[in-house]
PDB file of all heavy atoms in Angstrom:
ATOM      1  N   GLU A   1     -11.735  -3.252   2.670  1.00 91.00           N
ATOM      2  CA  GLU A   1     -10.781  -3.088   1.579  1.00 91.00           C
ATOM      3  C   GLU A   1     -11.536  -2.690   0.317  1.00 91.00           C
ATOM      4  O   GLU A   1     -12.449  -3.393  -0.109  1.00 91.00           O
ATOM      5  CB  GLU A   1     -10.027  -4.397   1.340  1.00 91.00           C
ATOM      6  CG  GLU A   1      -9.101  -4.362   0.147  1.00 91.00           C
ATOM      7  CD  GLU A   1      -7.965  -3.355   0.295  1.00 91.00           C
ATOM      8  OE1 GLU A   1      -7.362  -3.300   1.376  1.00 91.00           O
ATOM      9  OE2 GLU A   1      -7.699  -2.640  -0.680  1.00 91.00           O
ATOM     10  N   GLN A   2     -11.171  -1.551  -0.243  1.00 87.00           N
ATOM     11  CA  GLN A   2     -11.744  -1.115  -1.518  1.00 87.00           C
ATOM     12  C   GLN A   2     -10.588  -0.832  -2.465  1.00 87.00           C
ATOM     13  O   GLN A   2      -9.677  -0.081  -2.128  1.00 87.00           O
ATOM     14  CB  GLN A   2     -12.641   0.095  -1.330  1.00 87.00           C
ATOM     15  CG  GLN A   2     -13.882  -0.274  -0.536  1.00 87.00           C
ATOM     16  CD  GLN A   2     -14.915   0.825  -0.477  1.00 87.00           C
ATOM     17  OE1 GLN A   2     -14.713   1.925  -0.949  1.00 87.00           O
ATOM     18  NE2 GLN A   2     -16.047   0.505   0.108  1.00 87.00           N
ATOM     19  N   HIS A   3     -10.637  -1.425  -3.625  1.00 81.00           N
ATOM     20  CA  HIS A   3      -9.501  -1.362  -4.534  1.00 81.00           C
ATOM     21  C   HIS A   3      -9.346  -0.019  -5.231  1.00 81.00           C
ATOM     22  O   HIS A   3     -10.303   0.541  -5.759  1.00 81.00           O
ATOM     23  CB  HIS A   3      -9.624  -2.455  -5.589  1.00 81.00           C
ATOM     24  CG  HIS A   3      -8.443  -2.507  -6.508  1.00 81.00           C
ATOM     25  ND1 HIS A   3      -7.167  -2.723  -6.046  1.00 81.00           N
ATOM     26  CD2 HIS A   3      -8.340  -2.341  -7.838  1.00 81.00           C
ATOM     27  CE1 HIS A   3      -6.335  -2.704  -7.076  1.00 81.00           C
ATOM     28  NE2 HIS A   3      -7.016  -2.465  -8.168  1.00 81.00           N
ATOM     29  N   ASP A   4      -8.120   0.481  -5.196  1.00 82.00           N
ATOM     30  CA  ASP A   4      -7.733   1.650  -5.981  1.00 82.00           C
ATOM     31  C   ASP A   4      -6.302   1.366  -6.445  1.00 82.00           C
ATOM     32  O   ASP A   4      -5.353   1.482  -5.669  1.00 82.00           O
ATOM     33  CB  ASP A   4      -7.791   2.927  -5.145  1.00 82.00           C
ATOM     34  CG  ASP A   4      -7.456   4.177  -5.956  1.00 82.00           C
ATOM     35  OD1 ASP A   4      -6.754   4.062  -6.991  1.00 82.00           O
ATOM     36  OD2 ASP A   4      -7.892   5.261  -5.546  1.00 82.00           O
ATOM     37  N   GLU A   5      -6.179   0.961  -7.674  1.00 83.00           N
ATOM     38  CA  GLU A   5      -4.880   0.539  -8.216  1.00 83.00           C
ATOM     39  C   GLU A   5      -3.827   1.647  -8.131  1.00 83.00           C
ATOM     40  O   GLU A   5      -2.641   1.372  -8.027  1.00 83.00           O
ATOM     41  CB  GLU A   5      -5.046   0.070  -9.668  1.00 83.00           C
ATOM     42  CG  GLU A   5      -3.824  -0.583 -10.280  1.00 83.00           C
ATOM     43  CD  GLU A   5      -3.486  -1.966  -9.718  1.00 83.00           C
ATOM     44  OE1 GLU A   5      -4.340  -2.564  -9.014  1.00 83.00           O
ATOM     45  OE2 GLU A   5      -2.384  -2.455  -9.985  1.00 83.00           O
ATOM     46  N   THR A   6      -4.277   2.917  -8.119  1.00 85.00           N
ATOM     47  CA  THR A   6      -3.316   4.021  -8.030  1.00 85.00           C
ATOM     48  C   THR A   6      -2.719   4.143  -6.631  1.00 85.00           C
ATOM     49  O   THR A   6      -1.663   4.740  -6.454  1.00 85.00           O
ATOM     50  CB  THR A   6      -3.955   5.379  -8.413  1.00 85.00           C
ATOM     51  OG1 THR A   6      -4.965   5.711  -7.452  1.00 85.00           O
ATOM     52  CG2 THR A   6      -4.552   5.331  -9.807  1.00 85.00           C
ATOM     53  N   ILE A   7      -3.388   3.578  -5.623  1.00 80.00           N
ATOM     54  CA  ILE A   7      -2.881   3.626  -4.251  1.00 80.00           C
ATOM     55  C   ILE A   7      -2.150   2.331  -3.911  1.00 80.00           C
ATOM     56  O   ILE A   7      -1.037   2.356  -3.379  1.00 80.00           O
ATOM     57  CB  ILE A   7      -4.032   3.878  -3.245  1.00 80.00           C
ATOM     58  CG1 ILE A   7      -4.689   5.237  -3.542  1.00 80.00           C
ATOM     59  CG2 ILE A   7      -3.516   3.826  -1.810  1.00 80.00           C
ATOM     60  CD1 ILE A   7      -5.932   5.511  -2.736  1.00 80.00           C
ATOM     61  N   THR A   8      -2.785   1.201  -4.180  1.00 78.00           N
ATOM     62  CA  THR A   8      -2.181  -0.108  -3.916  1.00 78.00           C
ATOM     63  C   THR A   8      -2.287  -0.941  -5.185  1.00 78.00           C
ATOM     64  O   THR A   8      -3.391  -1.319  -5.580  1.00 78.00           O
ATOM     65  CB  THR A   8      -2.898  -0.824  -2.751  1.00 78.00           C
ATOM     66  OG1 THR A   8      -2.877   0.042  -1.611  1.00 78.00           O
ATOM     67  CG2 THR A   8      -2.198  -2.121  -2.399  1.00 78.00           C
ATOM     68  N   PRO A   9      -1.151  -1.227  -5.842  1.00 77.00           N
ATOM     69  CA  PRO A   9      -1.166  -1.916  -7.141  1.00 77.00           C
ATOM     70  C   PRO A   9      -1.354  -3.435  -7.035  1.00 77.00           C
ATOM     71  O   PRO A   9      -0.502  -4.212  -7.454  1.00 77.00           O
ATOM     72  CB  PRO A   9       0.204  -1.547  -7.732  1.00 77.00           C
ATOM     73  CG  PRO A   9       1.076  -1.345  -6.544  1.00 77.00           C
ATOM     74  CD  PRO A   9       0.190  -0.780  -5.470  1.00 77.00           C
ATOM     75  N   PHE A  10      -2.497  -3.849  -6.486  1.00 76.00           N
ATOM     76  CA  PHE A  10      -2.771  -5.283  -6.349  1.00 76.00           C
ATOM     77  C   PHE A  10      -2.765  -5.986  -7.702  1.00 76.00           C
ATOM     78  O   PHE A  10      -2.205  -7.065  -7.849  1.00 76.00           O
ATOM     79  CB  PHE A  10      -4.128  -5.530  -5.678  1.00 76.00           C
ATOM     80  CG  PHE A  10      -4.134  -5.396  -4.192  1.00 76.00           C
ATOM     81  CD1 PHE A  10      -5.014  -4.534  -3.561  1.00 76.00           C
ATOM     82  CD2 PHE A  10      -3.281  -6.157  -3.411  1.00 76.00           C
ATOM     83  CE1 PHE A  10      -5.042  -4.420  -2.185  1.00 76.00           C
ATOM     84  CE2 PHE A  10      -3.312  -6.053  -2.031  1.00 76.00           C
ATOM     85  CZ  PHE A  10      -4.192  -5.178  -1.416  1.00 76.00           C
ATOM     86  N   ALA A  11      -3.413  -5.402  -8.684  1.00 79.00           N
ATOM     87  CA  ALA A  11      -3.509  -6.055  -9.993  1.00 79.00           C
ATOM     88  C   ALA A  11      -2.119  -6.231 -10.612  1.00 79.00           C
ATOM     89  O   ALA A  11      -1.780  -7.310 -11.105  1.00 79.00           O
ATOM     90  CB  ALA A  11      -4.421  -5.268 -10.927  1.00 79.00           C
ATOM     91  N   ARG A  12      -1.317  -5.184 -10.552  1.00 82.00           N
ATOM     92  CA  ARG A  12       0.018  -5.250 -11.148  1.00 82.00           C
ATOM     93  C   ARG A  12       0.923  -6.229 -10.391  1.00 82.00           C
ATOM     94  O   ARG A  12       1.651  -7.000 -10.996  1.00 82.00           O
ATOM     95  CB  ARG A  12       0.667  -3.861 -11.164  1.00 82.00           C
ATOM     96  CG  ARG A  12       2.069  -3.869 -11.806  1.00 82.00           C
ATOM     97  CD  ARG A  12       2.689  -2.492 -11.897  1.00 82.00           C
ATOM     98  NE  ARG A  12       2.903  -1.818 -10.629  1.00 82.00           N
ATOM     99  CZ  ARG A  12       3.924  -2.093  -9.798  1.00 82.00           C
ATOM    100  NH1 ARG A  12       4.785  -3.038 -10.064  1.00 82.00           N
ATOM    101  NH2 ARG A  12       4.049  -1.404  -8.675  1.00 82.00           N
ATOM    102  N   GLN A  13       0.861  -6.201  -9.070  1.00 78.00           N
ATOM    103  CA  GLN A  13       1.785  -7.012  -8.277  1.00 78.00           C
ATOM    104  C   GLN A  13       1.296  -8.429  -8.009  1.00 78.00           C
ATOM    105  O   GLN A  13       2.099  -9.350  -7.902  1.00 78.00           O
ATOM    106  CB  GLN A  13       2.091  -6.317  -6.937  1.00 78.00           C
ATOM    107  CG  GLN A  13       2.812  -4.995  -7.120  1.00 78.00           C
ATOM    108  CD  GLN A  13       3.314  -4.438  -5.813  1.00 78.00           C
ATOM    109  OE1 GLN A  13       4.438  -4.693  -5.429  1.00 78.00           O
ATOM    110  NE2 GLN A  13       2.461  -3.692  -5.122  1.00 78.00           N
ATOM    111  N   LEU A  14      -0.022  -8.598  -7.861  1.00 77.00           N
ATOM    112  CA  LEU A  14      -0.560  -9.911  -7.473  1.00 77.00           C
ATOM    113  C   LEU A  14      -1.491 -10.516  -8.515  1.00 77.00           C
ATOM    114  O   LEU A  14      -1.933 -11.652  -8.356  1.00 77.00           O
ATOM    115  CB  LEU A  14      -1.320  -9.798  -6.139  1.00 77.00           C
ATOM    116  CG  LEU A  14      -0.524  -9.263  -4.946  1.00 77.00           C
ATOM    117  CD1 LEU A  14      -1.438  -9.138  -3.737  1.00 77.00           C
ATOM    118  CD2 LEU A  14       0.653 -10.176  -4.623  1.00 77.00           C
ATOM    119  N   GLY A  15      -1.835  -9.751  -9.546  1.00 81.00           N
ATOM    120  CA  GLY A  15      -2.788 -10.248 -10.534  1.00 81.00           C
ATOM    121  C   GLY A  15      -4.178 -10.424  -9.945  1.00 81.00           C
ATOM    122  O   GLY A  15      -4.984 -11.228 -10.415  1.00 81.00           O
ATOM    123  N   TRP A  16      -4.477  -9.676  -8.894  1.00 73.00           N
ATOM    124  CA  TRP A  16      -5.751  -9.803  -8.170  1.00 73.00           C
ATOM    125  C   TRP A  16      -6.303  -8.414  -7.930  1.00 73.00           C
ATOM    126  O   TRP A  16      -5.540  -7.465  -7.708  1.00 73.00           O
ATOM    127  CB  TRP A  16      -5.501 -10.523  -6.845  1.00 73.00           C
ATOM    128  CG  TRP A  16      -6.686 -10.586  -5.940  1.00 73.00           C
ATOM    129  CD1 TRP A  16      -7.772 -11.403  -6.077  1.00 73.00           C
ATOM    130  CD2 TRP A  16      -6.904  -9.823  -4.757  1.00 73.00           C
ATOM    131  NE1 TRP A  16      -8.648 -11.180  -5.049  1.00 73.00           N
ATOM    132  CE2 TRP A  16      -8.134 -10.215  -4.222  1.00 73.00           C
ATOM    133  CE3 TRP A  16      -6.173  -8.834  -4.100  1.00 73.00           C
ATOM    134  CZ2 TRP A  16      -8.664  -9.669  -3.070  1.00 73.00           C
ATOM    135  CZ3 TRP A  16      -6.698  -8.290  -2.950  1.00 73.00           C
ATOM    136  CH2 TRP A  16      -7.930  -8.707  -2.438  1.00 73.00           C
ATOM    137  N   ARG A  17      -7.611  -8.305  -7.982  1.00 75.00           N
ATOM    138  CA  ARG A  17      -8.239  -6.999  -7.845  1.00 75.00           C
ATOM    139  C   ARG A  17      -9.442  -7.129  -6.921  1.00 75.00           C
ATOM    140  O   ARG A  17     -10.463  -7.688  -7.310  1.00 75.00           O
ATOM    141  CB  ARG A  17      -8.668  -6.552  -9.238  1.00 75.00           C
ATOM    142  CG  ARG A  17      -9.151  -5.151  -9.369  1.00 75.00           C
ATOM    143  CD  ARG A  17      -9.578  -4.880 -10.807  1.00 75.00           C
ATOM    144  NE  ARG A  17      -8.533  -5.197 -11.765  1.00 75.00           N
ATOM    145  CZ  ARG A  17      -7.686  -4.318 -12.288  1.00 75.00           C
ATOM    146  NH1 ARG A  17      -7.765  -3.064 -11.945  1.00 75.00           N
ATOM    147  NH2 ARG A  17      -6.780  -4.700 -13.179  1.00 75.00           N
ATOM    148  N   PRO A  18      -9.315  -6.618  -5.691  1.00 74.00           N
ATOM    149  CA  PRO A  18     -10.501  -6.638  -4.819  1.00 74.00           C
ATOM    150  C   PRO A  18     -11.556  -5.677  -5.366  1.00 74.00           C
ATOM    151  O   PRO A  18     -11.234  -4.822  -6.202  1.00 74.00           O
ATOM    152  CB  PRO A  18      -9.977  -6.162  -3.467  1.00 74.00           C
ATOM    153  CG  PRO A  18      -8.685  -5.491  -3.736  1.00 74.00           C
ATOM    154  CD  PRO A  18      -8.156  -6.015  -5.029  1.00 74.00           C
ATOM    155  N   PRO A  19     -12.799  -5.806  -4.945  1.00 75.00           N
ATOM    156  CA  PRO A  19     -13.854  -4.917  -5.442  1.00 75.00           C
ATOM    157  C   PRO A  19     -13.560  -3.451  -5.113  1.00 75.00           C
ATOM    158  O   PRO A  19     -12.924  -3.146  -4.107  1.00 75.00           O
ATOM    159  CB  PRO A  19     -15.100  -5.387  -4.697  1.00 75.00           C
ATOM    160  CG  PRO A  19     -14.796  -6.788  -4.289  1.00 75.00           C
ATOM    161  CD  PRO A  19     -13.314  -6.818  -4.036  1.00 75.00           C
ATOM    162  N   ALA A  20     -14.052  -2.565  -5.965  1.00 75.00           N
ATOM    163  CA  ALA A  20     -13.858  -1.131  -5.747  1.00 75.00           C
ATOM    164  C   ALA A  20     -14.823  -0.596  -4.688  1.00 75.00           C
ATOM    165  O   ALA A  20     -14.569   0.436  -4.092  1.00 75.00           O
ATOM    166  CB  ALA A  20     -14.035  -0.376  -7.049  1.00 75.00           C
ATOM    167  N   ALA A  21     -15.920  -1.297  -4.468  1.00 81.00           N
ATOM    168  CA  ALA A  21     -16.898  -0.833  -3.480  1.00 81.00           C
ATOM    169  C   ALA A  21     -17.587  -2.030  -2.834  1.00 81.00           C
ATOM    170  O   ALA A  21     -18.308  -2.764  -3.495  1.00 81.00           O
ATOM    171  CB  ALA A  21     -17.924   0.066  -4.133  1.00 81.00           C
ATOM    172  N   GLU A  22     -17.325  -2.218  -1.570  1.00 89.00           N
ATOM    173  CA  GLU A  22     -18.002  -3.258  -0.781  1.00 89.00           C
ATOM    174  C   GLU A  22     -18.263  -2.713   0.608  1.00 89.00           C
ATOM    175  O   GLU A  22     -17.643  -1.731   1.018  1.00 89.00           O
ATOM    176  CB  GLU A  22     -17.126  -4.521  -0.657  1.00 89.00           C
ATOM    177  CG  GLU A  22     -17.367  -5.496  -1.752  1.00 89.00           C
ATOM    178  CD  GLU A  22     -16.833  -6.891  -1.443  1.00 89.00           C
ATOM    179  OE1 GLU A  22     -15.880  -7.052  -0.665  1.00 89.00           O
ATOM    180  OE2 GLU A  22     -17.394  -7.821  -2.008  1.00 89.00           O
ATOM    181  N   ALA A  23     -19.143  -3.374   1.323  1.00 92.00           N
ATOM    182  CA  ALA A  23     -19.439  -3.000   2.699  1.00 92.00           C
ATOM    183  C   ALA A  23     -19.097  -4.166   3.617  1.00 92.00           C
ATOM    184  O   ALA A  23     -19.067  -5.316   3.188  1.00 92.00           O
ATOM    185  CB  ALA A  23     -20.913  -2.642   2.840  1.00 92.00           C
ATOM    186  N   CYS A  24     -18.867  -3.845   4.876  1.00 94.00           N
ATOM    187  CA  CYS A  24     -18.603  -4.874   5.876  1.00 94.00           C
ATOM    188  C   CYS A  24     -19.859  -5.723   6.085  1.00 94.00           C
ATOM    189  O   CYS A  24     -20.984  -5.217   6.027  1.00 94.00           O
ATOM    190  CB  CYS A  24     -18.195  -4.199   7.190  1.00 94.00           C
ATOM    191  SG  CYS A  24     -17.729  -5.359   8.489  1.00 94.00           S
ATOM    192  N   LEU A  25     -19.659  -7.011   6.327  1.00 96.00           N
ATOM    193  CA  LEU A  25     -20.772  -7.925   6.607  1.00 96.00           C
ATOM    194  C   LEU A  25     -21.270  -7.794   8.047  1.00 96.00           C
ATOM    195  O   LEU A  25     -22.282  -8.388   8.414  1.00 96.00           O
ATOM    196  CB  LEU A  25     -20.333  -9.371   6.348  1.00 96.00           C
ATOM    197  CG  LEU A  25     -20.022  -9.720   4.897  1.00 96.00           C
ATOM    198  CD1 LEU A  25     -19.364 -11.090   4.809  1.00 96.00           C
ATOM    199  CD2 LEU A  25     -21.286  -9.663   4.050  1.00 96.00           C
ATOM    200  N   ILE A  26     -20.553  -7.031   8.866  1.00 97.00           N
ATOM    201  CA  ILE A  26     -20.885  -6.843  10.282  1.00 97.00           C
ATOM    202  C   ILE A  26     -21.364  -5.409  10.473  1.00 97.00           C
ATOM    203  O   ILE A  26     -20.753  -4.474   9.967  1.00 97.00           O
ATOM    204  CB  ILE A  26     -19.629  -7.051  11.176  1.00 97.00           C
ATOM    205  CG1 ILE A  26     -18.901  -8.344  10.858  1.00 97.00           C
ATOM    206  CG2 ILE A  26     -19.992  -6.935  12.650  1.00 97.00           C
ATOM    207  CD1 ILE A  26     -19.620  -9.606  11.205  1.00 97.00           C
TER     208      ILE A  26
END
């Protein structure tokens, strides 16, 4: 999951923002 508010409005709808860039731990 990489956050892009223009695609999925997590911040607006949930007040939460996943990181914009992360890698899988596996």
